[in-house]
Amino acid sequence: MESPTTASTINIFISGQLESAIFPMGPDADEIFCRYEVVAGADWELVSGCQNGITQTASNKCGHYNDKIVLNMPIEITFKSTSPHGWPQIIVIIYGKTRWGVETVLGYSRAHVPIFGSNSARRITAPILIPKCTNLVSQMTSWITGKNPELKNPRILLDANINGLAVESYGEIILMFNVISRGANQLGYDWG
């Protein structure tokens, strides 16, 4: 008979926020907004919370062009799993309007949800990646239409073996996470 204290799953409770964005030479838009999605492996089940969301529009127009743009989008989500394989990650897509008034993707970012330890509050700085045009025709089309190159499926960023994807890093997204776990030690996992 199983003891009531014996866990058969790992439960993780994630709370935090999509804190801000920093563009060293300023964003290519007056205002930005972000969409986020928390993605986990096949063995992970969403217990509560929103797996994706969208921020309000924000800008740094009142300050210096490279001041951080404060988003403060709260994130609260709970997952359970029987294995740490496929640990949750967050994908952030940054949008803005270009000089032509066209809403376009300004960049992508991704980060792993931190594994908890003695200090569970973690600030994560993740690079903003901008897809690059691969040839002169696509560069001209992008300039004429005012639309930047976009990834058909942003989840490609979760694959560690990305080959042939031309991107450049431009800026950073800052995330703050508090992670609490339950059941990991009973399943034989010790993250210190």
PDB file of all heavy atoms in Angstrom, residues 12-16 38 75-79 88 113 177-180:
ATOM      1  N   ILE A  12       5.502  21.354 -10.225  1.00  0.00           N
ATOM      2  CA  ILE A  12       6.225  22.621 -10.135  1.00  0.00           C
ATOM      3  C   ILE A  12       5.231  23.774 -10.264  1.00  0.00           C
ATOM      4  O   ILE A  12       4.330  23.743 -11.102  1.00  0.00           O
ATOM      5  CB  ILE A  12       7.379  22.757 -11.155  1.00  0.00           C
ATOM      6  CG1 ILE A  12       6.885  22.711 -12.590  1.00  0.00           C
ATOM      7  CG2 ILE A  12       8.437  21.721 -10.924  1.00  0.00           C
ATOM      8  CD1 ILE A  12       7.952  23.123 -13.583  1.00  0.00           C
ATOM      9  N   PHE A  13       5.403  24.732  -9.374  1.00  0.00           N
ATOM     10  CA  PHE A  13       4.562  25.916  -9.337  1.00  0.00           C
ATOM     11  C   PHE A  13       5.446  27.093  -9.758  1.00  0.00           C
ATOM     12  O   PHE A  13       6.417  27.402  -9.094  1.00  0.00           O
ATOM     13  CB  PHE A  13       4.011  26.128  -7.933  1.00  0.00           C
ATOM     14  CG  PHE A  13       3.366  24.895  -7.368  1.00  0.00           C
ATOM     15  CD1 PHE A  13       4.074  24.063  -6.513  1.00  0.00           C
ATOM     16  CD2 PHE A  13       2.073  24.554  -7.710  1.00  0.00           C
ATOM     17  CE1 PHE A  13       3.508  22.909  -5.996  1.00  0.00           C
ATOM     18  CE2 PHE A  13       1.495  23.398  -7.207  1.00  0.00           C
ATOM     19  CZ  PHE A  13       2.205  22.579  -6.348  1.00  0.00           C
ATOM     20  N   ILE A  14       5.108  27.713 -10.854  1.00  0.00           N
ATOM     21  CA  ILE A  14       5.922  28.785 -11.426  1.00  0.00           C
ATOM     22  C   ILE A  14       5.141  30.084 -11.307  1.00  0.00           C
ATOM     23  O   ILE A  14       4.008  30.175 -11.784  1.00  0.00           O
ATOM     24  CB  ILE A  14       6.231  28.506 -12.915  1.00  0.00           C
ATOM     25  CG1 ILE A  14       6.891  27.141 -13.078  1.00  0.00           C
ATOM     26  CG2 ILE A  14       7.075  29.623 -13.510  1.00  0.00           C
ATOM     27  CD1 ILE A  14       6.820  26.601 -14.502  1.00  0.00           C
ATOM     28  N   SER A  15       5.751  31.067 -10.665  1.00  0.00           N
ATOM     29  CA  SER A  15       5.163  32.405 -10.666  1.00  0.00           C
ATOM     30  C   SER A  15       6.293  33.382 -10.981  1.00  0.00           C
ATOM     31  O   SER A  15       7.451  33.122 -10.686  1.00  0.00           O
ATOM     32  CB  SER A  15       4.504  32.735  -9.324  1.00  0.00           C
ATOM     33  OG  SER A  15       5.475  32.842  -8.317  1.00  0.00           O
ATOM     34  N   GLY A  16       5.943  34.458 -11.570  1.00  0.00           N
ATOM     35  CA  GLY A  16       6.961  35.434 -11.928  1.00  0.00           C
ATOM     36  C   GLY A  16       6.409  36.432 -12.905  1.00  0.00           C
ATOM     37  O   GLY A  16       5.205  36.659 -12.960  1.00  0.00           O
ATOM     38  N   VAL A  38       4.498  29.094 -22.669  1.00  0.00           N
ATOM     39  CA  VAL A  38       5.282  28.158 -21.871  1.00  0.00           C
ATOM     40  C   VAL A  38       5.088  26.780 -22.500  1.00  0.00           C
ATOM     41  O   VAL A  38       3.967  26.307 -22.647  1.00  0.00           O
ATOM     42  CB  VAL A  38       4.848  28.151 -20.387  1.00  0.00           C
ATOM     43  CG1 VAL A  38       5.701  27.181 -19.583  1.00  0.00           C
ATOM     44  CG2 VAL A  38       4.945  29.555 -19.803  1.00  0.00           C
ATOM     45  N   ILE A  75       3.172  35.964 -14.764  1.00  0.00           N
ATOM     46  CA  ILE A  75       3.055  34.590 -15.258  1.00  0.00           C
ATOM     47  C   ILE A  75       2.839  33.694 -14.042  1.00  0.00           C
ATOM     48  O   ILE A  75       3.599  33.783 -13.079  1.00  0.00           O
ATOM     49  CB  ILE A  75       4.331  34.155 -16.003  1.00  0.00           C
ATOM     50  CG1 ILE A  75       4.570  35.035 -17.223  1.00  0.00           C
ATOM     51  CG2 ILE A  75       4.266  32.684 -16.390  1.00  0.00           C
ATOM     52  CD1 ILE A  75       5.920  34.838 -17.888  1.00  0.00           C
ATOM     53  N   GLU A  76       1.807  32.876 -14.071  1.00  0.00           N
ATOM     54  CA  GLU A  76       1.548  31.927 -13.001  1.00  0.00           C
ATOM     55  C   GLU A  76       1.021  30.650 -13.611  1.00  0.00           C
ATOM     56  O   GLU A  76      -0.012  30.655 -14.276  1.00  0.00           O
ATOM     57  CB  GLU A  76       0.530  32.506 -12.017  1.00  0.00           C
ATOM     58  CG  GLU A  76       0.944  32.299 -10.582  1.00  0.00           C
ATOM     59  CD  GLU A  76       0.045  33.011  -9.616  1.00  0.00           C
ATOM     60  OE1 GLU A  76      -0.974  32.413  -9.245  1.00  0.00           O
ATOM     61  OE2 GLU A  76       0.372  34.148  -9.247  1.00  0.00           O
ATOM     62  N   ILE A  77       1.754  29.562 -13.381  1.00  0.00           N
ATOM     63  CA  ILE A  77       1.397  28.311 -14.043  1.00  0.00           C
ATOM     64  C   ILE A  77       1.871  27.127 -13.196  1.00  0.00           C
ATOM     65  O   ILE A  77       2.867  27.234 -12.489  1.00  0.00           O
ATOM     66  CB  ILE A  77       2.004  28.288 -15.472  1.00  0.00           C
ATOM     67  CG1 ILE A  77       1.392  27.198 -16.327  1.00  0.00           C
ATOM     68  CG2 ILE A  77       3.491  28.228 -15.442  1.00  0.00           C
ATOM     69  CD1 ILE A  77       1.694  27.372 -17.808  1.00  0.00           C
ATOM     70  N   THR A  78       1.146  26.030 -13.250  1.00  0.00           N
ATOM     71  CA  THR A  78       1.501  24.818 -12.509  1.00  0.00           C
ATOM     72  C   THR A  78       1.526  23.638 -13.475  1.00  0.00           C
ATOM     73  O   THR A  78       0.592  23.461 -14.257  1.00  0.00           O
ATOM     74  CB  THR A  78       0.483  24.541 -11.385  1.00  0.00           C
ATOM     75  OG1 THR A  78       0.415  25.676 -10.532  1.00  0.00           O
ATOM     76  CG2 THR A  78       0.867  23.321 -10.574  1.00  0.00           C
ATOM     77  N   PHE A  79       2.589  22.846 -13.399  1.00  0.00           N
ATOM     78  CA  PHE A  79       2.733  21.635 -14.209  1.00  0.00           C
ATOM     79  C   PHE A  79       2.959  20.439 -13.296  1.00  0.00           C
ATOM     80  O   PHE A  79       3.433  20.587 -12.174  1.00  0.00           O
ATOM     81  CB  PHE A  79       3.962  21.730 -15.126  1.00  0.00           C
ATOM     82  CG  PHE A  79       3.788  22.574 -16.340  1.00  0.00           C
ATOM     83  CD1 PHE A  79       4.347  23.838 -16.406  1.00  0.00           C
ATOM     84  CD2 PHE A  79       3.091  22.097 -17.448  1.00  0.00           C
ATOM     85  CE1 PHE A  79       4.227  24.621 -17.534  1.00  0.00           C
ATOM     86  CE2 PHE A  79       2.961  22.879 -18.585  1.00  0.00           C
ATOM     87  CZ  PHE A  79       3.524  24.143 -18.632  1.00  0.00           C
ATOM     88  N   PRO A  88       9.978  22.588 -18.643  1.00  0.00           N
ATOM     89  CA  PRO A  88       9.328  23.751 -19.277  1.00  0.00           C
ATOM     90  C   PRO A  88      10.303  24.852 -19.700  1.00  0.00           C
ATOM     91  O   PRO A  88      11.275  25.138 -19.018  1.00  0.00           O
ATOM     92  CB  PRO A  88       8.392  24.256 -18.174  1.00  0.00           C
ATOM     93  CG  PRO A  88       8.135  23.077 -17.312  1.00  0.00           C
ATOM     94  CD  PRO A  88       9.398  22.272 -17.334  1.00  0.00           C
ATOM     95  N   VAL A 113      12.727  27.448 -17.748  1.00  0.00           N
ATOM     96  CA  VAL A 113      12.290  27.775 -16.403  1.00  0.00           C
ATOM     97  C   VAL A 113      13.385  27.245 -15.479  1.00  0.00           C
ATOM     98  O   VAL A 113      13.845  26.119 -15.655  1.00  0.00           O
ATOM     99  CB  VAL A 113      10.929  27.107 -16.102  1.00  0.00           C
ATOM    100  CG1 VAL A 113      10.576  27.234 -14.633  1.00  0.00           C
ATOM    101  CG2 VAL A 113       9.845  27.714 -16.985  1.00  0.00           C
ATOM    102  N   PHE A 177      11.542  34.607 -12.181  1.00  0.00           N
ATOM    103  CA  PHE A 177      10.774  33.410 -11.844  1.00  0.00           C
ATOM    104  C   PHE A 177      10.962  33.027 -10.384  1.00  0.00           C
ATOM    105  O   PHE A 177      12.064  33.107  -9.848  1.00  0.00           O
ATOM    106  CB  PHE A 177      11.235  32.213 -12.686  1.00  0.00           C
ATOM    107  CG  PHE A 177      10.788  32.253 -14.108  1.00  0.00           C
ATOM    108  CD1 PHE A 177      11.719  32.338 -15.128  1.00  0.00           C
ATOM    109  CD2 PHE A 177       9.453  32.189 -14.447  1.00  0.00           C
ATOM    110  CE1 PHE A 177      11.333  32.361 -16.455  1.00  0.00           C
ATOM    111  CE2 PHE A 177       9.053  32.219 -15.763  1.00  0.00           C
ATOM    112  CZ  PHE A 177       9.992  32.304 -16.770  1.00  0.00           C
ATOM    113  N   ASN A 178       9.894  32.586  -9.764  1.00  0.00           N
ATOM    114  CA  ASN A 178       9.912  31.900  -8.477  1.00  0.00           C
ATOM    115  C   ASN A 178       9.363  30.510  -8.755  1.00  0.00           C
ATOM    116  O   ASN A 178       8.262  30.380  -9.298  1.00  0.00           O
ATOM    117  CB  ASN A 178       9.016  32.606  -7.455  1.00  0.00           C
ATOM    118  CG  ASN A 178       9.553  33.953  -7.073  1.00  0.00           C
ATOM    119  OD1 ASN A 178      10.643  34.048  -6.543  1.00  0.00           O
ATOM    120  ND2 ASN A 178       8.807  35.007  -7.371  1.00  0.00           N
ATOM    121  N   VAL A 179      10.128  29.489  -8.431  1.00  0.00           N
ATOM    122  CA  VAL A 179       9.722  28.117  -8.731  1.00  0.00           C
ATOM    123  C   VAL A 179       9.710  27.307  -7.441  1.00  0.00           C
ATOM    124  O   VAL A 179      10.680  27.321  -6.688  1.00  0.00           O
ATOM    125  CB  VAL A 179      10.674  27.467  -9.755  1.00  0.00           C
ATOM    126  CG1 VAL A 179      10.254  26.043 -10.065  1.00  0.00           C
ATOM    127  CG2 VAL A 179      10.717  28.288 -11.032  1.00  0.00           C
ATOM    128  N   ILE A 180       8.615  26.615  -7.196  1.00  0.00           N
ATOM    129  CA  ILE A 180       8.487  25.734  -6.031  1.00  0.00           C
ATOM    130  C   ILE A 180       8.166  24.351  -6.563  1.00  0.00           C
ATOM    131  O   ILE A 180       7.328  24.189  -7.456  1.00  0.00           O
ATOM    132  CB  ILE A 180       7.356  26.219  -5.106  1.00  0.00           C
ATOM    133  CG1 ILE A 180       7.635  27.628  -4.617  1.00  0.00           C
ATOM    134  CG2 ILE A 180       7.184  25.258  -3.927  1.00  0.00           C
ATOM    135  CD1 ILE A 180       6.469  28.279  -3.900  1.00  0.00           C
TER     136      ILE A 180
END
